[in-house]
Amino acid sequence: MAVLNIVQAVKRALDEEMARDERVVVLGEDVGKRGGVFLATEGLYQKYGPDRVIDTPLAEAAIIGAAVGMAAHGLRPVAEIQFADYVFPGFDQLVSQGAKLRYRSGGQFAAPMVVRMPSGGGVKGGHHHSQSPEAYFTHTAGLKVVVPSTPTDTLGLLKTAIRDDDPVVFMEPKRLYRAIKEEVPDEEFTIPLGKAKVRREGTDLTLIAYGGPTVEAMQAAEELEKVGVSAEVVDLRSLVPWDKEAVLESVAKTGRALVIAEAPRTSSFASEVAATIMEELLDQLLAPVYRVTGFDTPYPYVPDRQYMPTVTRILNFAKKALDY
Amino acid sequence: MIKDTWKFQPFTEEPIRLIDEEGNWIADFPLDLSEETLKKLYRDMVRGRLLDERYQIILRQGKTSFVAPSSGHEATQAGMAQAIRPGFDWLFPYYRDKTLLAAIGYPVEMLYAQMMATRLDPNKGRQMPEHPGLKELNVYTVASPIASHVPPAVGAAISMKIQGTGQVVLTTFGDGATSEGDWHAALNFAGAQGAPIVFAAENNRYAISVNFEKQSGSPRIADKAHAYGFPGYHVDGMDVLASYYVAREAVERARAGLGPSLVEFLVYRYGPHSSADDDRVYRSREEVEFWRKKDPIPRFERFLEKRGLWTPEEGERLREAIKAELLEAEAKAEAAGEVPPEWMFDDVYATPYWLLEEQKQILLSEL
């Protein structure tokens, strides 16, 4: 088994899907000879040529909008937005065109496409290189939203996203791009969208996370174990569709839940999960469901790491839930 | 690269015109259209005009909630329709294109069905009126946000180029669209890629109430093509033959691999922007009358009459036949019946999602 980090997993997923299906094309800024600013498309231009690895003008509306039209016409485009913070000029294309094409045409047209974007903080990028804008997309019917946290999941989920018949926003936690390495099976595999993964089993408290903070959730679970608290960690992996069943199953068992995410709390996907748990499991809860999130400020340059849900913040909320 | 064999020069100060107000052919090349084609152009214009008038009636009858008047745009739209290969080439239209759509063979009963949101609408009544779309004819379903369909049009054209299909994209929009960032992003990308696409501006000089002088400092939309590296043609859009021939040349260039063109058709809408607009507050009746006198339909009738292809009696017979055809289509669309409410949950995604299944049950319990 090869040891891969997340960037290498992205690259392998793109390579495998481009080799498997000639309709798959990659487009974005610097994705060609440069191989992308994070090198996620490195070598693809040399292997598949300029018709399938397309360097675009510096215009996100053109990148995403063209991807919609390519998809409607029969290609399987994978667009790269250099940073999730730069998706906004292309927001209308994603929300008004891509997300609604199947619906507004009564199923006549569709936009099977992926928009990849490095997301989240922890890289000393200030607010224009660190945000987690997933809620804008989970709020939009017609889009799917996937946020992996490991190399294996990145590979399996990206391949599924490329084969999916709907537009998928694929948010890659950039601070983990090279921070996590793991052995990934050499044989081909895919992972379905909408299935959460229990990263660690426990009985006293469920830590629900996705993307970057899954790492802090796992670290917090280890800390809790030292003081005799058994925490279960559920990695959502996919926000639309999301795995309500897995979440409710875990929280029904533990009776306590924290929903952990980097994005600001107000109107966040964490709020959606927390509200659902409370609507469906009120009788079985031993404490309120707390949202442990980024703050409702713009993402600051300093203190960079303290903005995100730290292990300390997770532990403080865990104590609150356990002491309730 | 402008070949000697091309008929038209881009970036002219005066609009390209092939028939004058009296209906004389004033081009410096011979007319190469059959009688049948000339009559089709005429029929398409008349059908578009009558359809537009009929939409006003179903609006007053409460059968539809919104109309985007298109009278004044017929020559441009009928001409463009004749220049593409319907069902092979792709069309990315905007909401004022009923003449164009009917002319390429979009079944009129389906246009009506979209206006009235009945089951005969292939778009399943999901959008407000004047937003048709038909996969069978490669007509990309209209979206309301201005110019938002132009980047996808470019994407489809790039796909055609990559796959070497020989197809061409025609995308239309009004003058207001040319101010949008997405419009610039799309034309810029198309130019860089040499994509097989024709950008057609139906410049009726008003974006709702804002006139073109306030829309842009450029005297002509066509001039903007300079910056993107492809030709821009400034055309009298009330001259159906100028509209047809310039569109044909732009389509031929795209099909030959010479890349995009921008064609600006000067038109005028006689009606307000929409049934929700009152144009009396921003333009004089004298101005509207001035343009009505330049109406493309009588102008083309004079042209046809000189060639023995039209008499007032024939014109009247055609109008009556089209009116009957429209009434029949309207009845058929209406008879299809309303779209049921639970359809709102279909086509959000290709596959079922538990969340929508749950919400559908909420709706069903309320019915």
Side-chain angles (χ1 to χ4, degrees):
Chain A
M1 291 212 288
V3 174
L4 296 183
N5 62 28
I6 288 181
V7 169
Q8 291 163 331
V10 169
K11 191 161 59 182
R12 183 172 140 191
L14 294 173
D15 190 9
E16 285 182 6
E17 291 306 298
M18 291 183 84
R20 185 187 64 82
D21 183 351
E22 64 176 18
R23 296 173 304 167
V24 178
V25 300
V26 166
L27 70 160
E29 296 155 15
D30 306 301
V31 298
K33 286 181 182 167
R34 176 72 178 85
V37 292
F38 288 101
L39 302 179
T41 59
E42 191 184 24
L44 297 179
Y45 178 90
Q46 290 75 7
K47 189 167 173 183
Y48 297 102
D51 275 354
R52 294 187 64 198
V53 183
I54 303 164
D55 270 326
T56 66
L58 203 165
E60 291 77 10
I63 296 168
I64 295 174
V68 172
M70 289 174 170
H73 188 258
L75 295 179
R76 293 264 163 173
V78 183
E80 177 174 301
I81 298 299
Q82 211 152 69
F83 285 82
D85 312 81
Y86 301 154
V87 73
F88 301 109
F91 191 71
D92 192 37
Q93 288 300 319
L94 204 42
V95 169
S96 300
Q97 287 289 337
K100 292 174 178 65
L101 184 56
R102 179 184 297 284
Y103 194 72
R104 76 169 198 266
S105 68
Q108 298 183 89
F109 292 95
M113 57 188 272
V114 178
V115 182
R116 294 181 38 245
M117 54 185 88
S119 175
V123 295
K124 284 276 172 217
H127 45 257
H128 288 153
H129 294 82
S130 306
Q131 296 167 97
S132 298
E134 61 268 21
Y136 299 115
F137 305 113
T138 61
H139 198 65
T140 301
L143 297 179
K144 294 183 174 179
V145 181
V146 176
V147 193
S149 73
T150 68
T152 305
D153 282 0
T154 300
L155 177 54
L157 290 166
L158 182 53
K159 285 168 67 77
T160 305
I162 293 169
R163 298 179 193 189
D164 197 276
D165 288 331
D166 289 305
V168 180
V169 176
F170 197 86
M171 309 183 88
E172 298 158 6
K174 69 174 92 70
R175 71 182 156 107
L176 304 185
Y177 262 160
R178 292 179 173 77
I180 298 180
K181 283 182 186 166
E182 67 181 5
E183 288 196 334
V184 176
D186 292 326
E187 62 275 15
E188 195 178 357
F189 66 94
T190 59
I191 296 171
L193 307 188
K195 293 289 172 202
K197 171 109 179 165
V198 176
R199 296 249 166 250
R200 179 190 169 107
E201 294 199 5
T203 53
D204 300 329
L205 171 71
T206 302
L207 306 178
I208 300 152
Y210 59 88
T214 308
V215 171
E216 282 74 31
M218 291 295 283
Q219 289 167 358
E222 279 167 33
E223 294 300 316
L224 288 165
E225 191 180 8
K226 290 177 191 165
V227 295
V229 175
S230 167
E232 179 146 305
V233 178
V234 177
D235 181 355
L236 288 178
R237 306 199 288 192
S238 159
L239 308 185
V240 180
W242 71 282
D243 193 348
K244 181 173 78 164
E245 206 180 314
V247 168
L248 295 185
E249 194 184 320
S250 175
V251 182
K253 179 175 71 177
T254 62
R256 300 178 186 90
L258 307 184
V259 191
I260 303 160
E262 254 181 69
R265 194 178 70 193
T266 303
S267 308
S268 63
F269 196 76
S271 299
E272 178 60 31
V273 174
T276 305
I277 295 168
M278 290 195 272
E279 279 181 3
E280 305 227 4
L281 289 181
L282 188 64
D283 292 350
Q284 293 162 72
L285 288 176
L286 303 170
V289 178
Y290 292 109
R291 293 163 292 170
V292 188
T293 65
F295 297 119
D296 285 299
T297 67
Y299 197 109
Y301 177 63
V302 281
D304 181 60
R305 292 267 170 177
Q306 283 69 34
Y307 171 87
M308 300 187 289
T310 56
V311 175
T312 305
R313 196 177 309 153
I314 296 169
L315 291 174
N316 288 344
F317 276 95
K319 186 170 183 328
K320 222 171 148 179
L322 290 160
D323 292 348
Y324 186 81
Chain B
M1 83 196 208
I2 308 298
K3 283 189 185 174
D4 294 342
T5 53
W6 299 118
K7 291 184 173 70
F8 303 106
Q9 286 296 319
F11 307 118
T12 54
E13 278 189 27
E14 291 302 313
I16 296 168
R17 185 172 288 139
L18 302 183
I19 47 180
D20 65 17
E21 298 289 342
E22 286 71 45
N24 297 302
W25 175 254
I26 54 168
D28 58 5
F29 59 88
L31 182 71
D32 63 359
L33 296 178
S34 67
E35 285 186 10
E36 195 189 333
T37 303
L38 293 169
K39 284 182 170 175
K40 180 181 186 306
L41 288 168
Y42 177 63
R43 191 168 61 241
D44 288 342
M45 285 201 286
V46 174
R47 193 205 281 114
R49 175 67 54 86
L50 293 174
L51 188 59
D52 197 45
E53 289 172 3
R54 192 65 210 166
Y55 277 10
Q56 296 297 334
I57 293 168
I58 64 170
L59 178 74
R60 285 198 292 274
Q61 290 172 336
K63 292 179 184 175
T64 191
S65 59
F66 177 86
V67 175
S70 56
S71 292
H73 287 235
E74 291 88 352
T76 289
Q77 294 185 16
M80 286 193 294
Q82 197 60 34
I84 61 167
R85 291 170 59 186
F88 178 68
D89 294 329
W90 281 50
L91 184 57
F92 286 68
Y94 82 130
Y95 49 73
R96 207 182 297 283
D97 276 337
K98 59 180 82 72
T99 302
L100 171 57
L101 296 180
I104 66 158
Y106 196 124
V108 177
E109 64 267 26
M110 286 188 183
L111 289 174
Y112 269 113
Q114 202 284 321
M115 291 298 289
M116 300 190 278
T118 70
R119 288 172 187 255
L120 197 58
D121 173 21
N123 305 282
K124 300 185 186 169
R126 296 266 168 64
Q127 293 207 103
M128 66 185 289
E130 301 277 24
H131 290 58
L134 187 61
K135 181 70 191 293
E136 207 182 303
L137 281 176
N138 298 332
V139 177
Y140 185 83
T141 300
V142 171
S144 308
I146 302 300
S148 72
H149 63 299
V150 184
V154 171
I158 294 170
S159 175
M160 291 164 183
K161 184 185 136 208
I162 291 171
Q163 300 186 69
T165 64
Q167 294 163 297
V168 166
V169 171
L170 171 65
T171 183
T172 61
F173 39 80
D175 37 307
T178 64
S179 298
E180 285 283 3
D182 283 12
W183 189 85
H184 161 70
L187 272 75
N188 184 56
F189 195 11
Q193 285 284 324
I197 183 166
V198 177
F199 298 101
E202 297 184 30
N203 182 1
N204 63 25
R205 301 142 207 265
Y206 286 92
I208 305 189
S209 68
V210 176
N211 65 26
F212 190 69
E213 287 64 40
K214 288 178 183 163
Q215 197 66 243
S216 173
S218 293
R220 290 166 292 271
I221 289 171
D223 293 359
K224 294 170 188 254
H226 254 308
Y228 303 115
F230 49 79
Y233 302 96
H234 186 56
V235 181
D236 179 353
M238 294 173 112
D239 172 347
V240 66
L241 293 181
S243 299
Y244 162 70
Y245 274 102
V246 176
R248 183 175 91 176
E249 185 151 306
V251 167
E252 280 173 359
R253 288 179 52 89
R255 215 182 301 284
L258 295 176
S261 305
L262 170 61
V263 187
E264 174 188 15
F265 297 98
L266 292 171
V267 294
Y268 195 82
R269 69 166 151 79
Y270 304 150
H273 159 71
S274 76
S275 46
D277 178 33
D278 178 4
D279 66 318
R280 289 170 303 184
V281 302
Y282 56 81
R283 59 183 190 182
S284 69
R285 295 306 88 187
E286 292 72 29
E287 182 187 310
V288 177
E289 272 317 300
F290 173 82
W291 285 98
R292 274 191 183 274
K293 287 196 186 107
K294 295 175 174 294
D295 196 293
I297 294 175
R299 183 167 163 192
F300 196 48
E301 284 168 351
R302 292 190 281 275
F303 170 89
L304 293 172
E305 195 171 25
K306 287 178 201 295
R307 283 171 169 67
L309 298 174
W310 183 86
T311 63
E313 296 72 31
E314 278 171 2
E316 195 46 40
R317 273 202 298 279
L318 178 67
R319 279 173 188 271
E320 290 310 316
I322 291 172
K323 278 182 189 169
E325 175 205 329
L326 297 186
L327 282 174
E328 196 183 321
E330 185 184 319
K332 205 169 159 188
E334 210 176 351
E338 278 184 11
V339 167
E342 63 270 24
W343 278 17
M344 83 162 79
F345 289 98
D346 298 340
D347 308 312
V348 180
Y349 298 102
T351 48
Y353 181 19
W354 61 262
L355 182 71
L356 296 176
E357 294 303 317
E358 278 185 9
Q359 293 178 0
K360 187 175 181 177
Q361 293 311 312
I362 295 173
L363 174 79
L364 291 175
S365 75
E366 295 165 356
L367 295 178

